[in-house]
Amino acid sequence: MEIFIVAVLAAAWMQSVMKLTLLPRAVRWGILAMAVFPAFLCKTTLMRFNLHSIDRFLSSAGNLKDFCALVVVQELLALLAGLSLLKERELGEKVHRWKYLALLPSLLLPFVVMYLTVVGFNRLVRYEFDTLLWWSAGGFVLVSALSCEVWGLVHSTERRRVSAALAGSWMLVLLAVFLPAAAGGELSQGGGAAGSEPVRDFAILGILTLVVALSALAFQICRKRKEQIKKCVTSQKS
């Protein structure tokens, strides 16, 4: 179960990087700094975690479901607000500023910092907890900020960044919906089957992921085609 929880945290972090790239650099750094703040508030609690506690936490199917439920709720609300915001901007309508909340990163980011801190504290025993906490927090902010810069260079235009963020949100929702079932071997238990087939579960999850990826690719191709048609019509009128 550990690998599944780590996968959700990693996917939430990557999706957050895509969203943060759409924000100004100063705002981006501020949000990343706020994401590490809960780790300092929970410092006393984190110090009590040992390797056994970490294994027990990561082995809990309930924790995986809680994380995935949080991801699904946040990303679906973000998609609704984000698509509405995108429509208002493209049609030149009045933009409701509260819809920019769709660009906020995942609520799981503080858990990423906490996980890095606790694992580091139990693996690197010669360092003090406060030192590892500052290293984890600083490294998280620095790596996240640099990843945003690299992502911005790869996707040079705002439209490409928006398309990538939307596709990433759908992929993250799909992962969060079906990952708990795949981890528990529940996808292949239908029809009164007594046991589960993990290989079949992950095959189903992979097929669903591929379908969403192809749908996102088709969406971007159609959007690019519409832009080309619009440019041609505009050039002919002029």
Side-chain angles (χ1 to χ4, degrees), residues 87-118:
K87 184 193 72 172
E88 291 176 352
R89 293 190 59 180
E90 290 192 346
L91 297 180
E93 300 176 353
K94 180 182 178 181
V95 176
H96 296 81
R97 295 188 179 276
W98 65 267
K99 294 181 181 179
Y100 281 101
L101 292 174
L103 300 180
L104 290 178
S106 174
L107 295 176
L108 294 182
L109 288 190
F111 292 99
V112 176
V113 181
M114 295 179 188
Y115 173 77
L116 294 175
T117 302
V118 171

Side-chain angles (χ1 to χ4, degrees), residues 54-112:
I54 298 173
D55 291 337
R56 186 171 65 251
F57 179 84
L58 295 176
S59 300
S60 173
N63 291 330
L64 176 61
K65 292 180 180 179
D66 290 341
F67 282 164
C68 290
L70 182 61
V71 168
V72 170
V73 172
Q74 181 185 1
E75 290 303 322
L76 287 179
L77 292 176
L79 281 169
L80 290 174
L83 290 173
S84 179
L85 174 64
L86 187 62
K87 184 193 72 172
E88 291 176 352
R89 293 190 59 180
E90 290 192 346
L91 297 180
E93 300 176 353
K94 180 182 178 181
V95 176
H96 296 81
R97 295 188 179 276
W98 65 267
K99 294 181 181 179
Y100 281 101
L101 292 174
L103 300 180
L104 290 178
S106 174
L107 295 176
L108 294 182
L109 288 190
F111 292 99
V112 176

Side-chain angles (χ1 to χ4, degrees), residues 30-220:
I31 291 176
L32 289 174
M34 291 176 61
V36 305
F37 187 67
F40 289 91
L41 292 179
C42 302
K43 181 174 69 172
T44 304
T45 303
L46 295 177
M47 290 179 66
R48 299 194 187 104
F49 273 81
N50 52 35
L51 291 177
H52 179 68
S53 301
I54 298 173
D55 291 337
R56 186 171 65 251
F57 179 84
L58 295 176
S59 300
S60 173
N63 291 330
L64 176 61
K65 292 180 180 179
D66 290 341
F67 282 164
C68 290
L70 182 61
V71 168
V72 170
V73 172
Q74 181 185 1
E75 290 303 322
L76 287 179
L77 292 176
L79 281 169
L80 290 174
L83 290 173
S84 179
L85 174 64
L86 187 62
K87 184 193 72 172
E88 291 176 352
R89 293 190 59 180
E90 290 192 346
L91 297 180
E93 300 176 353
K94 180 182 178 181
V95 176
H96 296 81
R97 295 188 179 276
W98 65 267
K99 294 181 181 179
Y100 281 101
L101 292 174
L103 300 180
L104 290 178
S106 174
L107 295 176
L108 294 182
L109 288 190
F111 292 99
V112 176
V113 181
M114 295 179 188
Y115 173 77
L116 294 175
T117 302
V118 171
V119 172
F121 180 61
N122 285 274
R123 299 293 184 184
L124 307 174
V125 294
R126 60 176 179 172
Y127 296 101
E128 295 183 357
F129 182 84
D130 289 340
T131 301
L132 290 171
L133 178 58
W134 280 103
W135 282 4
S136 299
F140 172 82
V141 173
L142 183 60
V143 171
S144 299
L146 290 177
S147 299
C148 291
E149 297 295 336
V150 173
W151 186 260
L153 293 175
V154 174
H155 298 77
S156 55
T157 63
E158 181 181 0
R159 190 173 296 275
R160 293 181 61 186
R161 296 174 191 172
V162 171
S163 298
L166 289 175
S169 292
W170 284 117
M171 296 286 288
L172 185 57
V173 169
L174 176 69
L175 177 68
V177 168
F178 291 100
L179 189 58
E186 300 172 3
L187 293 179
S188 58
Q189 287 183 351
S196 62
E197 300 178 18
V199 176
R200 183 183 175 188
D201 291 334
F202 287 107
I204 294 174
L205 184 62
I207 292 173
L208 291 172
T209 304
L210 180 61
V211 170
V212 174
L214 292 176
S215 300
L217 179 61
F219 173 78
Q220 293 188 18

